Every structure is written in structure tokens, then in C-alpha cells.
Amino acid sequence: MDSMIVAAAQALAGGDVLGALKRVALRDDAPALALRGIAMAQLGDLVRAKTLLKSATRAFGPREAVARARCIVAQAEIALVSRDLGWPEKALETARAVLERHGDNINAAHARNLQIRRLLLVGHLDEAERLLAKLDPSPLPAAARASHELAVAGIAIRRLRIERARAALRRAAEAAGKAGIPALAVEVGDAARVLDVPAARLVARGSERLLSLDEVEALLSSGALVVDACRNVVRGGGEIISLARRPVLFALARALAEAAPADVPRALLLCRAFRARHADESHRARLRVEVGRLRAALEPLAGIDATACGFALKPRLGRDVVVLAPPVEVENAPLLALLSDGESWSSSALSIALATSPRTVQRVLDMLATAGMVQSVGNGRARRWMMPPVVGFPTTLLLPGPLPSD
């Protein structure tokens, strides 16, 4: 490579995007196209960046396998940032293998990190941990090491290993400081703030309060009987009973846990589980059947006693009974949670992340858009969805007032 390409690459590595563009903006050779694409991606013009990187991939000859692989890794990173989760995973794995085979361990590790981050987005934690165990971060430069630690923290947060997440974020902040890239430092700071905001609500004995992630971790390890409305499971003493595929049983378990140790009237249980406003004999018969099923499901952790009024939850070993609920409960909360990351998502990416059919996701998005809870930009295949921006001050209020006259 000539000196201008080397200088542009060094400028990009140091976060000087404009300095890199000054050196290659008017060039159309393959290395310049690749560097221009990466620069445009860092400036936020992802559409132009994709076009430039595709052109660079085609421009590199068949003997320049490493350069082509690097372009594919850059395209995969853009796809991840733009939430294009349908981007071919096999292409990234092939590029990573090429880089590893040719001794480019730094870019191969970066490709592996992109695979891990994608798995985190779609909730495949076991696979993400498996790939993470194969990655040695020691030879990585500071910027790549910060990105690696963010992935470690992301897995730890989802596993509710909060102290491990804090340690990873401290290492990420240190690496970001060494890299000297402001955008990376901001990303690490945003990730660290997640640990301090309310993550759930504790509901017990008629009262509720917000919990941080540290408090959630402590609660789940306390031995209490926890009806977890965030994951639709019942936990106690290290045992987990999933009711995610049995929504009626979970609705009954939650209603009983919220009232424990008192009982719950049958009419309220019918309303919570079946949404029945006027109960008849068929509803009462169905309630008896579902309570019997719930009693069998929860048998290792708790019993359910019939009372004159209704039913009461009786935990084993005298455990406390609490309900762990999301901080805010609204319909379609998982979809809104994905959009709250500030990025624009395609409906197909949301479908992959939620493991739901594209038609169902599109129908929900249209409903939320009508309610003003989400908004879209673009048309057709380029359409993206995001949360509406927060309304700010009128711009006239930000202008300085007239100077006082003497």
C-alpha cells in the first residue's frame, strides 16, 4: 500500500475520520474505497458505507483474500449497527476463518466479537458464551478490547452476574480511554449506566418498589419463592419451574403470589386468568382444573390450599413469596424494549430478535404507530422503525435574549 492509504488507515484507527477522508476521498482504487466506506460508517452514513464496501469487495482481486475478508467483516459490522439481522452469518464466519488462516488475528477476533454481539441481540446466550470462550482478548488493540469487554458485560448482565458485569465495564472504560476514541467512551458509559437504573419491580404483601439489577440478583439468590413475571418462571432455592408456555397457569400463580399469605377470591382468579367478567359454572369448573394443574406444576416449591373464599399459595420451608415484575408493564413490551436502544430496526430484524412471524410484528408495529408509540422512516424494504424522539424546547427558547441597553 502507498503512504496515503497507510496514513488514512492510521487516522481511522485513531478516530480521525475527517483526516482519513482528506487522504482518500477522491480515489477509487480498492483500498481507498474500503477506507472511505469505513469512514462513512463512522460518520453515520450507513447506506453510502454499504455501497462503498461492496464496491471495494468486488474491486479486490481473487488473490487478495484477506482484503476481501476485511471488507466483509466491515459490512457485517454495519449490518449489526443498522439492525440488519438477516445479513448472512455464514459470510462472516467464512471471512473470519480466512483472516485466522492468514494470521490476521486482530480482525479475526473482531469478526468473532461481531458474531457474539449478534447472538446477544437475538437472545442466544449459550451460543454467545461458547464463542466467547474461544476468543483470546490479549492480542487485541485497545478499541477492540473495549468492544470485547462490552460483549462480556452484556452476557453477564443477562445472566444477572452484576459484579462480573461491573468488572468488565471497568476494563472496557480503561481500554476506551487508551484508545482515545470519544464515541467508544460514550458507548461504554451508556452501558455502565444500565446497571444503575431500575430494572424490575418487587411486589409483595400489597406493596411494591423498584429494584436495581444488583437487588434483583440478591433477591434471586435469597431463597425466597419468586414468581418472575419478567421471564414467566417460578424460582425458589435454585429450582426453576418455567410457565412461559402456560400463560393461564402463570396468571394464576402471579395472582396467588401477589396476595400471599392471604387467599385470593375465585372471582378475582377468574378475571385474572380467563378475563371472565361474569362467572358461570363452566368457568368455575375450568378454574378448578387449572388450579389442579398449577398445584402439580408447583409441587416441589409450594402447595395451593382451597379456602372458603378461594385459593391460597403456601410455599415450602416457610419461604417468603414475592413477585418480580417489569418496571413498566405495557402491551408489546418486548418489542418496545428492543426499539428503546435508540437504533432504527427493520421489521424483519425485530421478527428475528423476537422469534415471531414477520406478519405479526408488522401488525403490532402498525398498531403502535397509530398510537404514536413508534415511528417509521423510509419506504418498502428500506423502512425502519424507532421510538419517537423526545420533544425538546422550542428553538427560540435556546436563542440568547437581547442585550440590556444602557
Side-chain angles (χ1 to χ4, degrees):
M1 293 186 185
D2 58 49
S3 59
M4 294 298 287
I5 293 294
V6 173
Q10 291 175 342
L12 274 180
D16 184 8
V17 180
L18 297 181
L21 283 175
K22 287 179 181 178
R23 293 171 171 85
V24 296
L26 300 179
R27 295 178 52 167
D28 289 324
D29 52 298
L33 287 172
L35 292 173
R36 285 169 57 193
I38 296 171
M40 296 308 294
Q42 293 188 17
L43 289 175
D45 190 349
L46 301 183
V47 175
R48 180 63 177 157
K50 289 180 185 178
T51 302
L52 288 167
L53 285 167
K54 286 180 180 178
S55 299
T57 304
R58 290 192 297 268
F60 281 116
R63 295 185 178 180
E64 298 171 294
V66 173
R68 292 168 64 91
R70 289 172 181 169
C71 289
I72 291 172
V73 172
Q75 291 178 61
E77 186 169 12
I78 292 171
L80 182 70
V81 171
S82 59
R83 300 298 186 260
D84 181 11
L85 301 184
W87 198 84
E89 298 176 68
K90 290 184 178 179
L92 178 59
E93 174 57 25
T94 301
R96 189 202 63 78
V98 169
L99 293 169
E100 191 173 67
R101 191 164 56 249
H102 286 80
D104 189 354
N105 295 322
I106 291 177
N107 282 306
H110 181 56
R112 178 72 79 193
N113 195 54
L114 292 177
Q115 292 175 313
I116 294 169
R117 289 171 59 190
R118 184 189 182 280
L119 290 169
L120 280 177
L121 271 181
V122 298
H124 296 172
L125 297 187
D126 292 338
E127 181 67 12
E129 283 186 317
R130 186 184 67 80
L131 293 183
L132 190 65
K134 297 180 179 180
L135 181 57
D136 178 16
S138 55
L140 298 178
R145 195 161 58 252
S147 182
H148 169 77
E149 296 296 348
L150 283 173
V152 173
I155 293 176
I157 288 172
R158 287 162 175 80
R159 295 292 193 195
L160 286 177
R161 300 164 184 164
I162 307 306
E163 192 52 44
R164 184 180 299 182
R166 291 189 188 278
L169 288 170
R170 285 194 293 269
R171 294 192 298 268
E174 182 180 349
K178 290 180 180 178
I181 302 176
L184 184 58
V186 169
E187 183 180 0
V188 174
D190 289 343
R193 278 190 287 274
V194 170
L195 300 180
D196 300 319
V197 300
R201 283 182 300 126
L202 176 68
V203 183
R205 300 179 184 272
S207 64
E208 61 180 64
R209 64 184 178 91
L210 293 172
L211 300 181
S212 66
L213 283 171
D214 293 283
E215 292 172 316
V216 172
E217 182 183 22
L219 173 66
L220 296 183
S221 60
S222 67
L225 180 65
V226 181
V227 177
D228 186 349
C230 299
R231 294 178 173 84
N232 287 8
V233 299
V234 180
R235 307 169 181 263
E239 185 161 359
I240 300 175
I241 298 172
S242 176
L243 299 177
R245 297 181 180 274
R246 307 175 79 175
V248 171
L249 296 192
F250 184 80
L252 291 172
R254 179 172 178 177
L256 292 168
E258 288 177 352
D263 59 356
V264 183
R266 290 175 175 80
L268 180 57
L269 289 174
L270 287 169
C271 180
R272 292 284 295 270
F274 310 132
R275 299 181 181 179
R277 295 183 180 179
H278 306 288
D280 56 24
E281 188 56 36
S282 65
H283 285 107
R284 285 188 285 270
R286 185 183 176 193
L287 177 62
R288 288 193 295 271
V289 170
E290 297 297 346
V291 168
R293 290 172 176 169
L294 181 62
R295 185 181 288 120
L298 299 185
E299 197 277 334
L301 297 178
I304 300 176
D305 294 345
T307 66
C309 178
F311 295 93
L313 186 66
K314 301 297 180 182
R316 310 286 186 209
L317 306 176
R319 292 188 175 105
D320 292 331
V321 181
V322 298
V323 173
L324 187 67
V328 178
E329 292 190 84
V330 295
E331 194 175 1
N332 304 305
L335 189 149
L336 292 172
L338 289 173
L339 293 177
S340 67
D341 69 353
E343 301 291 347
S344 58
W345 290 69
S346 66
S347 58
S348 60
L350 290 169
S351 172
I352 293 171
L354 295 170
T356 308
S357 71
R359 183 172 297 180
T360 299
V361 169
Q362 189 61 57
R363 184 167 59 249
V364 172
L365 286 169
D366 290 338
M367 181 185 67
L368 293 174
T370 302
M373 300 177 70
V374 301
Q375 67 179 26
S376 64
V377 293
N379 295 300
R381 295 176 64 86
R383 196 178 194 187
R384 294 292 185 271
W385 295 88
M386 64 185 72
M387 300 288 280
V390 177
V391 178
F393 294 104
T395 53
T396 53
L397 296 181
L398 303 179
L399 298 176
L403 294 173
S405 56
D406 294 333

